[in-house]
PDB file of all heavy atoms in Angstrom:
ATOM      1  N   PHE A 279       4.981 -13.185   0.928  1.00 94.00           N
ATOM      2  CA  PHE A 279       4.889 -13.876  -0.334  1.00 94.00           C
ATOM      3  C   PHE A 279       3.518 -14.065  -0.728  1.00 94.00           C
ATOM      4  O   PHE A 279       3.310 -13.944  -2.055  1.00 94.00           O
ATOM      5  CB  PHE A 279       5.686 -15.225  -0.367  1.00 94.00           C
ATOM      6  CG  PHE A 279       7.099 -15.058  -0.207  1.00 94.00           C
ATOM      7  CD1 PHE A 279       7.895 -15.054   0.902  1.00 94.00           C
ATOM      8  CD2 PHE A 279       7.885 -15.018  -1.521  1.00 94.00           C
ATOM      9  CE1 PHE A 279       9.179 -14.968   0.856  1.00 94.00           C
ATOM     10  CE2 PHE A 279       9.269 -14.996  -1.455  1.00 94.00           C
ATOM     11  CZ  PHE A 279       9.895 -14.905  -0.382  1.00 94.00           C
ATOM     12  N   SER A 280       2.617 -14.233   0.098  1.00 93.00           N
ATOM     13  CA  SER A 280       1.220 -14.374  -0.254  1.00 93.00           C
ATOM     14  C   SER A 280       0.837 -12.862  -0.773  1.00 93.00           C
ATOM     15  O   SER A 280      -0.068 -12.800  -1.705  1.00 93.00           O
ATOM     16  CB  SER A 280       0.234 -14.715   0.839  1.00 93.00           C
ATOM     17  OG  SER A 280       0.593 -16.108   1.181  1.00 93.00           O
ATOM     18  N   ARG A 281       1.254 -11.892  -0.191  1.00 94.00           N
ATOM     19  CA  ARG A 281       0.890 -10.538  -0.470  1.00 94.00           C
ATOM     20  C   ARG A 281       1.355 -10.199  -1.832  1.00 94.00           C
ATOM     21  O   ARG A 281       0.600  -9.588  -2.738  1.00 94.00           O
ATOM     22  CB  ARG A 281       1.412  -9.425   0.529  1.00 94.00           C
ATOM     23  CG  ARG A 281       1.397  -8.062   0.040  1.00 94.00           C
ATOM     24  CD  ARG A 281       1.629  -7.170   1.181  1.00 94.00           C
ATOM     25  NE  ARG A 281       2.783  -7.477   2.053  1.00 94.00           N
ATOM     26  CZ  ARG A 281       3.993  -7.036   1.717  1.00 94.00           C
ATOM     27  NH1 ARG A 281       4.376  -6.294   0.738  1.00 94.00           N
ATOM     28  NH2 ARG A 281       5.042  -7.472   2.493  1.00 94.00           N
ATOM     29  N   LEU A 282       2.530 -10.670  -2.166  1.00 94.00           N
ATOM     30  CA  LEU A 282       3.205 -10.502  -3.516  1.00 94.00           C
ATOM     31  C   LEU A 282       2.466 -11.296  -4.588  1.00 94.00           C
ATOM     32  O   LEU A 282       2.197 -10.795  -5.621  1.00 94.00           O
ATOM     33  CB  LEU A 282       4.706 -10.754  -3.467  1.00 94.00           C
ATOM     34  CG  LEU A 282       5.470 -10.653  -4.792  1.00 94.00           C
ATOM     35  CD1 LEU A 282       5.406  -9.205  -5.171  1.00 94.00           C
ATOM     36  CD2 LEU A 282       6.915 -11.030  -4.613  1.00 94.00           C
ATOM     37  N   ALA A 283       2.047 -12.498  -4.225  1.00 94.00           N
ATOM     38  CA  ALA A 283       1.324 -13.355  -5.174  1.00 94.00           C
ATOM     39  C   ALA A 283      -0.089 -12.749  -5.480  1.00 94.00           C
ATOM     40  O   ALA A 283      -0.542 -12.754  -6.564  1.00 94.00           O
ATOM     41  CB  ALA A 283       1.062 -14.667  -4.542  1.00 94.00           C
ATOM     42  N   ARG A 284      -0.822 -12.142  -4.417  1.00 93.00           N
ATOM     43  CA  ARG A 284      -2.008 -11.442  -4.733  1.00 93.00           C
ATOM     44  C   ARG A 284      -1.855 -10.229  -5.638  1.00 93.00           C
ATOM     45  O   ARG A 284      -2.648  -9.956  -6.475  1.00 93.00           O
ATOM     46  CB  ARG A 284      -2.723 -11.115  -3.463  1.00 93.00           C
ATOM     47  CG  ARG A 284      -3.298 -12.258  -2.650  1.00 93.00           C
ATOM     48  CD  ARG A 284      -4.121 -11.653  -1.568  1.00 93.00           C
ATOM     49  NE  ARG A 284      -3.359 -10.918  -0.522  1.00 93.00           N
ATOM     50  CZ  ARG A 284      -2.659 -11.559   0.576  1.00 93.00           C
ATOM     51  NH1 ARG A 284      -2.819 -12.718   0.686  1.00 93.00           N
ATOM     52  NH2 ARG A 284      -2.035 -10.787   1.394  1.00 93.00           N
ATOM     53  N   ARG A 285      -0.736  -9.607  -5.462  1.00 92.00           N
ATOM     54  CA  ARG A 285      -0.407  -8.454  -6.241  1.00 92.00           C
ATOM     55  C   ARG A 285      -0.226  -8.915  -7.758  1.00 92.00           C
ATOM     56  O   ARG A 285      -0.641  -8.130  -8.633  1.00 92.00           O
ATOM     57  CB  ARG A 285       0.814  -7.634  -5.759  1.00 92.00           C
ATOM     58  CG  ARG A 285       1.459  -6.644  -6.582  1.00 92.00           C
ATOM     59  CD  ARG A 285       0.840  -5.345  -6.342  1.00 92.00           C
ATOM     60  NE  ARG A 285       1.499  -4.286  -7.074  1.00 92.00           N
ATOM     61  CZ  ARG A 285       1.338  -2.984  -6.875  1.00 92.00           C
ATOM     62  NH1 ARG A 285       0.689  -2.617  -5.866  1.00 92.00           N
ATOM     63  NH2 ARG A 285       1.900  -2.109  -7.538  1.00 92.00           N
ATOM     64  N   LEU A 286       0.418  -9.878  -7.947  1.00 92.00           N
ATOM     65  CA  LEU A 286       0.802 -10.320  -9.372  1.00 92.00           C
ATOM     66  C   LEU A 286      -0.462 -10.919 -10.065  1.00 92.00           C
ATOM     67  O   LEU A 286      -0.435 -10.854 -11.179  1.00 92.00           O
ATOM     68  CB  LEU A 286       1.913 -11.323  -9.308  1.00 92.00           C
ATOM     69  CG  LEU A 286       3.208 -10.927  -8.834  1.00 92.00           C
ATOM     70  CD1 LEU A 286       4.304 -12.038  -8.737  1.00 92.00           C
ATOM     71  CD2 LEU A 286       3.868  -9.757  -9.654  1.00 92.00           C
ATOM     72  N   THR A 287      -1.415 -11.408  -9.279  1.00 91.00           N
ATOM     73  CA  THR A 287      -2.665 -12.048  -9.857  1.00 91.00           C
ATOM     74  C   THR A 287      -3.810 -11.120  -9.757  1.00 91.00           C
ATOM     75  O   THR A 287      -4.973 -11.556 -10.115  1.00 91.00           O
ATOM     76  CB  THR A 287      -2.905 -13.322  -9.200  1.00 91.00           C
ATOM     77  OG1 THR A 287      -3.088 -13.074  -7.781  1.00 91.00           O
ATOM     78  CG2 THR A 287      -1.871 -14.382  -9.301  1.00 91.00           C
ATOM     79  N   GLY A 288      -3.638  -9.878  -9.417  1.00 89.00           N
ATOM     80  CA  GLY A 288      -4.796  -8.838  -9.451  1.00 89.00           C
ATOM     81  C   GLY A 288      -5.681  -9.230  -8.263  1.00 89.00           C
ATOM     82  O   GLY A 288      -6.933  -8.840  -8.470  1.00 89.00           O
ATOM     83  N   ARG A 289      -5.363  -9.695  -7.198  1.00 91.00           N
ATOM     84  CA  ARG A 289      -6.327 -10.063  -5.999  1.00 91.00           C
ATOM     85  C   ARG A 289      -5.852  -9.304  -4.839  1.00 91.00           C
ATOM     86  O   ARG A 289      -6.088  -9.674  -3.693  1.00 91.00           O
ATOM     87  CB  ARG A 289      -6.309 -11.490  -5.814  1.00 91.00           C
ATOM     88  CG  ARG A 289      -6.635 -12.285  -7.014  1.00 91.00           C
ATOM     89  CD  ARG A 289      -6.364 -13.817  -6.752  1.00 91.00           C
ATOM     90  NE  ARG A 289      -7.278 -14.293  -5.686  1.00 91.00           N
ATOM     91  CZ  ARG A 289      -7.362 -15.611  -5.343  1.00 91.00           C
ATOM     92  NH1 ARG A 289      -6.376 -16.404  -5.891  1.00 91.00           N
ATOM     93  NH2 ARG A 289      -8.163 -15.924  -4.292  1.00 91.00           N
ATOM     94  N   THR A 290      -5.321  -8.058  -5.021  1.00 93.00           N
ATOM     95  CA  THR A 290      -4.836  -7.226  -3.867  1.00 93.00           C
ATOM     96  C   THR A 290      -6.047  -6.833  -3.072  1.00 93.00           C
ATOM     97  O   THR A 290      -7.084  -6.464  -3.571  1.00 93.00           O
ATOM     98  CB  THR A 290      -4.174  -5.837  -4.411  1.00 93.00           C
ATOM     99  OG1 THR A 290      -3.087  -6.428  -5.172  1.00 93.00           O
ATOM    100  CG2 THR A 290      -3.632  -5.181  -3.248  1.00 93.00           C
ATOM    101  N   VAL A 291      -5.791  -6.748  -1.705  1.00 95.00           N
ATOM    102  CA  VAL A 291      -6.767  -6.343  -0.729  1.00 95.00           C
ATOM    103  C   VAL A 291      -6.347  -4.952  -0.229  1.00 95.00           C
ATOM    104  O   VAL A 291      -5.274  -4.883   0.374  1.00 95.00           O
ATOM    105  CB  VAL A 291      -6.975  -7.392   0.378  1.00 95.00           C
ATOM    106  CG1 VAL A 291      -8.056  -6.941   1.422  1.00 95.00           C
ATOM    107  CG2 VAL A 291      -7.294  -8.734  -0.204  1.00 95.00           C
ATOM    108  N   GLY A 292      -7.246  -3.944  -0.272  1.00 95.00           N
ATOM    109  CA  GLY A 292      -6.977  -2.681   0.199  1.00 95.00           C
ATOM    110  C   GLY A 292      -7.719  -2.342   1.426  1.00 95.00           C
ATOM    111  O   GLY A 292      -8.848  -2.757   1.651  1.00 95.00           O
TER     112      GLY A 292
END
Side-chain angles (χ1 to χ4, degrees):
F279 283 93
S280 294
R281 167 165 50 88
L282 183 57
R284 286 190 295 271
R285 170 84 173 196
L286 296 174
T287 56
R289 303 173 65 181
T290 301
V291 181

